[in-house]
Amino acid sequence: VNLALTETGSYSGLASSINVKSALHSSGLLHLGDTNPVRFYATGGDITGFTLFSSKFSRIIASRDITDIALYIQNTDEGNISTVSAGRDIIAYNENAEIRTLAGDANQGNAIGDPEQTTVDGRKITALAGDIQISGPGVVEVFAGRNLDLGTGANFSDGTGTGITSIGNQRNPFLSFTGADIIAMAGVTGADGSGPALGLASSSMDFDAFAEEYLSDGTVSDSDYLDKLGVSTITGLSAEQQAIVALEVFYTTLRDAGRAATESGDYSAGFAAIETLFGTDGADGVIRTRSRDIRTTSGGSISIGVPTGSLTLAETLTGNPLTPPGIVTEFGGSINTFTDGDVDIGLSRIFTLRGGDIVMWSSTGDIAAGSAPKTVVTAPPTRV
């Protein structure tokens, strides 16, 4: 078997062998410095039943929905920004996708699925893994005009089927260790208020107004993204890179407003920043992670935004995940969440390991710390 033709997206088990990894990837990083992304667009339609292995940064954009997918993308440079965006819903693991239902209709002589790959309860897999996995540095952006739902499928033992993940060099050993940052948002549309967001700078968010108010001199005193790019000012950056820095400033502003309000009770600075960036009207949307993760394993940060809706993690352990799911940075990296409505952690978790701050803001809802016992006699060690 030619190992170069057996890529799966897995980086555990047999796929964790350095020999296997080296055979699957080029030590020269073929697309290092390449400024032309892989583009996969559905103008006026959906992307569904789609598996992608990309060796360079990519743009996967659908006017309507993105469902039943397995996306394994690679950034090669710190400046790379990969984008997955739908004008309506993203349902990453979706057994009920219309095209999947048709393809599995035995009455029409159709049959799909790998008979060797089954879920923990013995059912045949009738959907793709549901992964949006980014290797390498830079940033991956995931936007849904309405809802972002990672699905309820079981995690697979080979390390796939886990959700939105940034894995650094765990699949390609020739990449740098530091992994990409994740930005995931729901209820964010195109700049004209409809269709898919083509990026932060080309979305329903008003970064021009925000930058004028909060970035007038172009300098930011504390920006992890600028540090990774090796610069100290937004001058000379692309519009999308400037928007990423502005988003960092937005979360910092919410943090500072919350700290100040512990004494004054005044959250107006935070609400002013929200209104400047998001306005007063927007598309409804929610994020549901269910049995899946939003996770970085190699130092990347996670920023989540739902300007008109809520964030719900695992309400039940549907799909029997291999480990309790959640929003996690394993090797440092901050976690920022902004919602208008509730943050319901349920049976899941939001945490960082090896350093990393957590900022959570809900404008009108509750932040529920989960449904497990509030006190324990002994706590088992965290297992990664």
Side-chain angles (χ1 to χ4, degrees):
V1 177
N2 186 341
L3 290 177
L5 301 177
T6 58
E7 183 69 288
T8 65
S10 172
Y11 54 93
S12 62
L14 177 62
S16 66
S17 164
I18 190 65
N19 292 330
V20 172
K21 292 179 179 180
S22 298
L24 289 170
H25 302 280
S26 168
S27 61
L29 291 179
L30 177 63
H31 293 287
L32 185 65
D34 192 335
T35 59
N36 189 33
V38 169
R39 296 179 176 90
F40 196 92
Y41 297 163
T43 303
D46 306 325
I47 295 175
T48 186
F50 177 52
T51 298
L52 172 68
F53 292 98
S54 174
S55 57
K56 61 178 179 177
F57 73 109
S58 304
R59 296 175 60 80
I60 298 96
I61 299 174
S63 292
R64 298 195 307 184
D65 301 330
I66 297 177
T67 67
D68 186 23
I69 53 172
L71 307 178
Y72 302 99
I73 304 167
Q74 177 175 281
N75 288 347
T76 57
D77 301 273
E78 284 289 0
N80 286 166
I81 303 169
S82 289
T83 304
V84 180
S85 180
R88 298 193 311 192
D89 299 331
I90 295 178
I91 308 175
Y93 182 93
N94 185 14
E95 291 182 318
N96 299 317
E98 183 177 355
I99 193 171
R100 180 67 54 168
T101 303
L102 175 63
D105 188 348
N107 294 327
Q108 299 191 41
N110 300 329
I112 60 170
D114 180 355
E116 300 300 322
Q117 189 177 58
T118 59
T119 62
V120 290
D121 61 358
R123 293 183 298 110
K124 288 185 179 180
I125 294 296
T126 55
L128 297 178
D131 288 320
I132 301 175
Q133 181 194 95
I134 185 74
S135 294
V139 178
V140 62
E141 302 172 334
V142 182
F143 303 116
R146 294 191 309 201
N147 302 326
L148 171 57
D149 189 336
L150 300 188
T152 58
N155 306 151
F156 301 150
S157 59
D158 68 355
T160 60
T162 55
I164 303 175
T165 53
S166 167
I167 64 169
N169 65 355
Q170 292 197 38
R171 278 179 56 223
N172 184 350
F174 304 112
L175 293 165
S176 63
F177 172 80
T178 302
D181 299 330
I182 296 173
I183 297 172
M185 293 188 165
V188 171
T189 62
D192 62 355
S194 63
L198 304 182
L200 287 173
S202 303
S203 73
S204 51
M205 293 175 279
D206 192 346
F207 280 100
D208 290 338
F210 187 86
E212 183 177 350
E213 179 71 22
Y214 296 90
L215 285 166
S216 57
D217 61 357
T219 60
V220 181
S221 59
D222 184 17
S223 168
D224 290 339
Y225 185 61
L226 289 181
D227 289 344
K228 289 178 180 179
L229 294 178
V231 298
S232 58
T233 176
I234 64 173
T235 304
L237 299 184
S238 69
E240 190 64 15
Q241 290 172 326
Q242 291 184 32
I244 291 172
V245 176
L247 189 66
E248 284 185 307
V249 173
F250 170 73
Y251 285 110
T252 300
T253 303
L254 296 187
R255 180 201 68 188
D256 294 345
R259 288 177 176 174
T262 59
E263 296 184 0
S264 66
D266 181 7
Y267 293 90
S268 59
F271 286 113
I274 293 168
E275 184 172 346
T276 301
L277 183 57
F278 292 100
T280 56
D281 298 315
D284 292 334
V286 299
I287 293 179
R288 301 185 183 93
T289 65
R290 302 188 190 268
S291 60
R292 302 297 177 94
D293 286 329
I294 301 177
R295 179 182 295 251
T296 67
T297 65
S298 304
S301 65
I302 298 173
S303 297
I304 292 174
V306 194
T308 57
S310 59
L311 169 65
T312 301
L313 279 66
E315 297 166 301
T316 63
L317 290 183
T318 305
N320 297 313
L322 299 176
T323 59
I327 299 171
V328 181
T329 59
E330 290 184 10
F331 206 93
S334 60
I335 296 175
N336 301 302
T337 74
F338 158 67
T339 64
D340 179 66
D342 296 340
V343 175
D344 190 353
I345 297 175
L347 300 176
S348 193
R349 79 277 299 281
I350 296 176
F351 73 91
T352 67
L353 292 168
R354 303 197 182 193
D357 298 329
I358 297 177
V359 172
M360 301 177 68
W361 175 289
S362 171
S363 293
T364 64
D366 299 325
I367 297 177
S371 54
K374 292 181 174 61
T375 58
V376 292
V377 177
T378 59
T382 298
R383 181 167 64 98
V384 174

Short mmCIF file of all heavy atoms in Angstrom, two decimals, residues 1 9 47 74 141 148-149 232 245 267 290 296 308 341 343:
data_model
loop_
_atom_site.label_atom_id
_atom_site.label_comp_id
_atom_site.label_asym_id
_atom_site.label_seq_id
_atom_site.Cartn_x
_atom_site.Cartn_y
_atom_site.Cartn_z
N VAL A 1 0.84 -1.19 0.00
CA VAL A 1 0.00 0.00 0.00
C VAL A 1 0.88 1.24 0.00
O VAL A 1 1.84 1.34 0.77
CB VAL A 1 -0.93 0.01 1.23
CG1 VAL A 1 -1.75 1.28 1.25
CG2 VAL A 1 -1.84 -1.21 1.21
N GLY A 9 -6.93 11.96 7.92
CA GLY A 9 -7.22 12.98 8.92
C GLY A 9 -6.90 12.54 10.32
O GLY A 9 -6.99 13.31 11.27
N ILE A 47 -23.13 23.06 0.28
CA ILE A 47 -22.02 22.11 0.22
C ILE A 47 -22.36 20.99 1.18
O ILE A 47 -22.54 21.23 2.38
CB ILE A 47 -20.68 22.77 0.61
CG1 ILE A 47 -20.29 23.84 -0.41
CG2 ILE A 47 -19.58 21.73 0.72
CD1 ILE A 47 -19.04 24.62 -0.04
N GLN A 74 -4.69 22.61 5.79
CA GLN A 74 -3.36 22.89 6.32
C GLN A 74 -2.96 24.33 5.99
O GLN A 74 -2.95 24.73 4.83
CB GLN A 74 -2.35 21.93 5.71
CG GLN A 74 -0.90 22.19 6.13
CD GLN A 74 0.04 21.14 5.59
OE1 GLN A 74 0.14 20.05 6.12
NE2 GLN A 74 0.73 21.48 4.51
N GLU A 141 -11.23 30.43 10.36
CA GLU A 141 -12.47 31.14 10.68
C GLU A 141 -13.65 30.27 10.26
O GLU A 141 -13.66 29.74 9.14
CB GLU A 141 -12.54 32.47 9.95
CG GLU A 141 -11.39 33.41 10.26
CD GLU A 141 -11.38 34.64 9.36
OE1 GLU A 141 -11.91 34.56 8.23
OE2 GLU A 141 -10.84 35.67 9.80
N LEU A 148 -24.52 27.25 14.02
CA LEU A 148 -23.35 26.39 13.89
C LEU A 148 -23.55 25.22 14.84
O LEU A 148 -23.58 25.39 16.06
CB LEU A 148 -22.07 27.16 14.25
CG LEU A 148 -20.78 26.35 14.39
CD1 LEU A 148 -20.47 25.58 13.11
CD2 LEU A 148 -19.62 27.26 14.78
N ASP A 149 -23.72 24.03 14.28
CA ASP A 149 -24.04 22.82 15.05
C ASP A 149 -23.02 21.75 14.67
O ASP A 149 -22.95 21.32 13.52
CB ASP A 149 -25.46 22.36 14.72
CG ASP A 149 -25.95 21.25 15.64
OD1 ASP A 149 -25.12 20.53 16.20
OD2 ASP A 149 -27.19 21.11 15.77
N SER A 232 4.39 44.96 15.33
CA SER A 232 3.87 45.66 16.51
C SER A 232 2.73 46.61 16.20
O SER A 232 2.20 47.27 17.10
CB SER A 232 5.00 46.45 17.19
OG SER A 232 5.56 47.38 16.28
N VAL A 245 -7.03 41.40 14.65
CA VAL A 245 -6.49 42.17 15.77
C VAL A 245 -7.61 42.96 16.46
O VAL A 245 -7.68 43.01 17.69
CB VAL A 245 -5.39 43.13 15.28
CG1 VAL A 245 -4.90 44.01 16.43
CG2 VAL A 245 -4.23 42.35 14.68
N TYR A 267 -21.45 48.47 33.28
CA TYR A 267 -20.96 47.67 32.15
C TYR A 267 -21.05 48.43 30.82
O TYR A 267 -20.92 47.83 29.76
CB TYR A 267 -21.78 46.37 32.02
CG TYR A 267 -21.59 45.41 33.16
CD1 TYR A 267 -22.41 45.47 34.29
CD2 TYR A 267 -20.62 44.43 33.11
CE1 TYR A 267 -22.25 44.58 35.34
CE2 TYR A 267 -20.45 43.52 34.14
CZ TYR A 267 -21.27 43.60 35.26
OH TYR A 267 -21.11 42.71 36.29
N ARG A 290 -22.49 20.04 21.25
CA ARG A 290 -23.02 18.70 21.52
C ARG A 290 -21.90 17.76 21.96
O ARG A 290 -21.24 18.01 22.95
CB ARG A 290 -23.80 18.19 20.32
CG ARG A 290 -24.97 19.10 19.92
CD ARG A 290 -25.81 18.44 18.85
NE ARG A 290 -26.79 19.32 18.27
CZ ARG A 290 -28.04 19.46 18.70
NH1 ARG A 290 -28.46 18.80 19.75
NH2 ARG A 290 -28.88 20.28 18.08
N THR A 296 -7.93 23.43 20.64
CA THR A 296 -6.58 23.59 20.10
C THR A 296 -5.64 22.74 20.94
O THR A 296 -5.77 22.67 22.17
CB THR A 296 -6.11 25.05 20.12
OG1 THR A 296 -5.96 25.50 21.48
CG2 THR A 296 -7.09 25.95 19.39
N THR A 308 -26.43 37.45 18.59
CA THR A 308 -27.87 37.52 18.86
C THR A 308 -28.42 36.22 19.44
O THR A 308 -29.63 36.05 19.49
CB THR A 308 -28.64 37.83 17.55
OG1 THR A 308 -28.32 36.83 16.57
CG2 THR A 308 -28.27 39.20 17.02
N GLY A 341 -27.23 35.75 24.49
CA GLY A 341 -28.02 34.92 25.37
C GLY A 341 -27.17 34.03 26.26
O GLY A 341 -26.03 34.35 26.59
N VAL A 343 -24.99 31.00 28.07
CA VAL A 343 -23.90 30.05 27.87
C VAL A 343 -24.21 28.87 28.77
O VAL A 343 -24.17 28.99 29.99
CB VAL A 343 -22.53 30.66 28.22
CG1 VAL A 343 -21.44 29.59 28.10
CG2 VAL A 343 -22.22 31.84 27.33
#
